[in-house]
Amino acid sequence: MSTGKSKITNVDELLSSMTPPGARQADSGRIRKAIITAGDSGIGRYAALALAEDGCDIGITYAHHGEDAELTAAAVRKLGRQCYVEHMDLSMPENCIPAIDALVKQLGGLDIFFSNAGKMTQKQFPNLELSDMDDLFRINTFGAVLATQRATRYMLGMDPDGNTSKFEEIANMARKVLTGEVRSPRETPGRLIINTSVHEHAASPVDTTYTMTKHALGGFIKCAALALGGTNITINGVRPGEIATPMNDSDPEDAMDTKRDLLPSRRVGHPAEIASMVRYLASDEAQYINGISYDVDGGFSVGGPMVSKGYQKVV
């Protein structure tokens, strides 16, 4: 029976124990490679900059605004890191394949994948049409899942175009790692991060289809974490609240001045505040976080219907 007494007996042992086992890899000087979808603006842009500050080489995608993507890339390069840009329009989800393939080739590998691309439309349930749902599910859910799947296969060193069911092959490899049949194919941590939304768990009277797509991503994150157990790859989500981005018809410089009187933080968020969570989830320190999503929403999630009223662009 444990006595509750620590086995650590001196200061040096205590200080060395501050780093959990496996948090620092033998090749800690190795440059990590990160891909961010929709890195041309908003959260994706600031995530690219945050990861570049942490020493990562970066690949970004864009759907419509190539000049904005090149501005992000120029900023990353000014920080001393490499940055590559590829077009990717997820209205056809399979478009993710050539874009991710090209970025992995240019980067020379992949360690971090941030699925950030998405779209929002506002329609209440009685007015929904099949075309609305098809469009948003293609971009927000099917595109995100397929892109993350492609990235995962590269992280695992698998044939990205294998003939068997892709997730079945990934799950089989994970089971073999857990049973000791094979070693994990990754000696260094892999990080999958999904931009969901507060609407992954919070309902909205006007964003019906958007909310449905984000609920689906929450389930995907949990299932993928189970499938990837033992592979040294984690998957987690970030749930932003209302952030000053083009999706919300706003710019980052508007964040401090755009007031939300019923929100605990009393303002909308800056995309760099979401990027800070992405940076953390991509780090070694986040190795024991897996299969979960984190709210970065200024208190939206704790307010329920009261905050929802303030969320409707009321100053």
Side-chain angles (χ1 to χ4, degrees), residues 62-73:
Y62 71 94
H64 305 294
H65 305 292
E67 290 185 3
D68 291 340
E70 291 297 341
L71 178 60
T72 302

Side-chain angles (χ1 to χ4, degrees), residues 23 44 51 81 91 96 108 111 119 159 177 181 189 233 241 282 285:
L51 292 174
R81 303 309 331 155
S91 60
C96 71
D111 302 287
K119 179 179 179 180
D159 176 8
V177 171
E181 296 176 57
I233 297 173
E285 285 73 18

